[in-house]
Amino acid sequence: MLRSSTQTSSSEPAPRESGPPGLVTGFAPDFAIAGRIRNAEARRMDAYSLALAYIRGQISVTGDLFSAIRFFRDRPGPPFRSLAIRAAAWLGRSGIGARLANRAAAAHNIQFHYDRSNDFYRLFLDSRMQYSEGHFTGPDCTLEQAQEAKLDRICRHLDLRPGQRLLDIGCGWGGLLIYAAGCVGVRGMGCTLSQQQRQLASELVNRQGLSDRVEIREMDYRDLNGQFDRVASIGMFEHVGPKRMAAYFRKVYSLVAPDGLFLNRGIVRPQQETNSPETLFVQRHVFPGGGLTPLADVVRDAERAGFEVVSMESVRRHYARTCQAWVANLMANAEQGRQLVDEVAYRTWLLYLAASAVNFEDGRIDCVEVVFGKRGG
């Protein structure tokens, strides 16, 4: 039997063999694991290998999935895995990844994640299909209430006024544009590279009777022209990646009117954090082509493009709670989820969302909203 606890891996008790040959079992106050992997092999597995074993159904977790992730997250891995992680980091630093990320590749990467099934995302998101953190106003605040509060705050932080032209880069299923057009009276345009997002967003716009005020396009933001009074980018620039951040801000700068505002909200990582087995798993199985950038680098590249910071706010704890709610919804709809996507995809999203909740809670990653204006505007 593989014994484990909720302490750090350095204090983990020595595993003991028991049960049928090849069977790994584990227990702790909060979780237990079981699967058809030998104990000796399990002890050598890092977070990446354990994640693969989980999504392939070789191991299962009962009890508190968050505690299991926290317990196994920092297990040391074999040398070859460390080399793979360093190689991935080198590709990013060398710019090779940036040069390969042309428009076709960017579209493929977005569709890999978002074009699974609109109905699958409905299982765990709120009614507006908001795939970013909500704003929880109290201990009893629901996911639905938190997402509406988030949209209201974004509209206020952008100082939206009736008749203004709003651009939402990476608009998802159109939730912000529909809310802003209906509640504030703006005219909106959104772009996404996901075919399924564009189709559903356009349907939702029509159902709300907003087709004369809101347009959803399936296109790369780099191909946009014109200028807008307000520009929003919510949970999109993680797909841009560190090496394309400067070009991203230069393009957005060209789209913002001289006296306009740009609200950029997305996941960043602390400066001292480096690529890990989790990074490799996310890049290969969840979000290919993207990456997290330290906040200091985000602000630096934005300022070099000509922006100045108007306001800044961390919403890390709100994202942790949002991910926890998504995990609960996905678990509650497990059978339907497995019917809409295959078992591997269901387990991948469940593991990814749960690990994100843990990392947000522990401060391993952050989510920051920065409102920019053009310098001197």
Side-chain angles (χ1 to χ4, degrees), residues 86-124:
R86 288 199 293 272
W90 178 84
L91 285 173
R93 287 194 301 268
S94 69
I96 294 176
R99 290 194 293 274
L100 293 177
N102 55 31
R103 284 160 171 72
H108 176 270
N109 291 337
I110 292 297
Q111 290 160 13
F112 174 88
H113 187 89
Y114 294 100
D115 283 355
R116 297 283 169 167
S117 164
N118 287 331
D119 290 335
F120 175 68
Y121 284 101
R122 278 196 183 97
L123 295 181
F124 62 92

Side-chain angles (χ1 to χ4, degrees), residues 93-296:
R93 287 194 301 268
S94 69
I96 294 176
R99 290 194 293 274
L100 293 177
N102 55 31
R103 284 160 171 72
H108 176 270
N109 291 337
I110 292 297
Q111 290 160 13
F112 174 88
H113 187 89
Y114 294 100
D115 283 355
R116 297 283 169 167
S117 164
N118 287 331
D119 290 335
F120 175 68
Y121 284 101
R122 278 196 183 97
L123 295 181
F124 62 92
L125 300 180
D126 64 299
S127 63
R128 289 187 173 89
M129 303 280 283
Q130 292 293 289
Y131 198 22
S132 59
E133 77 296 332
H135 187 85
F136 290 85
T137 57
D140 298 324
C141 184
T142 66
L143 177 64
E144 192 75 18
Q145 293 167 337
Q147 292 293 10
E148 182 171 350
K150 184 266 298 287
L151 294 174
D152 177 69
R153 285 173 64 85
I154 288 174
C155 290
R156 287 190 286 111
H157 291 179
L158 276 171
D159 192 25
L160 287 177
R161 311 289 179 85
Q164 285 183 330
R165 219 172 160 222
L166 169 65
L167 169 66
D168 189 359
I169 300 175
C171 65
W173 291 276
L176 172 61
L177 291 168
I178 293 171
Y179 183 88
C183 295
V184 182
V186 303
R187 292 176 293 121
M189 176 188 292
C191 64
T192 175
L193 290 172
S194 165
Q195 299 172 359
Q196 293 197 27
Q197 282 188 334
R198 192 266 308 163
Q199 291 170 359
L200 180 56
S202 298
E203 291 175 12
L204 295 174
V205 167
N206 291 332
R207 288 180 203 171
Q208 296 295 322
L210 297 171
S211 56
D212 61 330
R213 279 185 275 171
V214 176
E215 178 186 5
I216 308 294
R217 295 182 180 179
E218 184 182 328
M219 66 182 300
D220 194 301
Y221 78 96
R222 291 169 288 190
D223 295 326
L224 289 168
N225 294 305
Q227 289 195 325
F228 300 81
D229 302 300
R230 302 290 187 263
V231 177
S233 175
I234 314 296
M236 176 272 176
F237 86 131
E238 300 93 327
H239 297 286
V240 174
K243 291 300 149 185
R244 298 184 294 278
M245 197 60 59
Y248 164 77
F249 280 113
R250 288 195 299 270
K251 177 60 183 179
V252 176
Y253 185 87
S254 73
L255 298 170
V256 179
D259 59 347
L261 292 174
F262 169 42
L263 185 148
N264 191 83
R265 181 184 282 217
I267 303 171
V268 296
R269 71 182 187 185
Q271 194 79 43
Q272 69 273 16
E273 291 291 331
T274 58
N275 285 348
S276 66
E278 288 178 282
T279 307
L280 202 60
F281 178 80
V282 171
Q283 290 179 343
R284 289 185 175 179
H285 302 279
V286 184
F287 282 119
L292 302 185
T293 307
L295 176 60

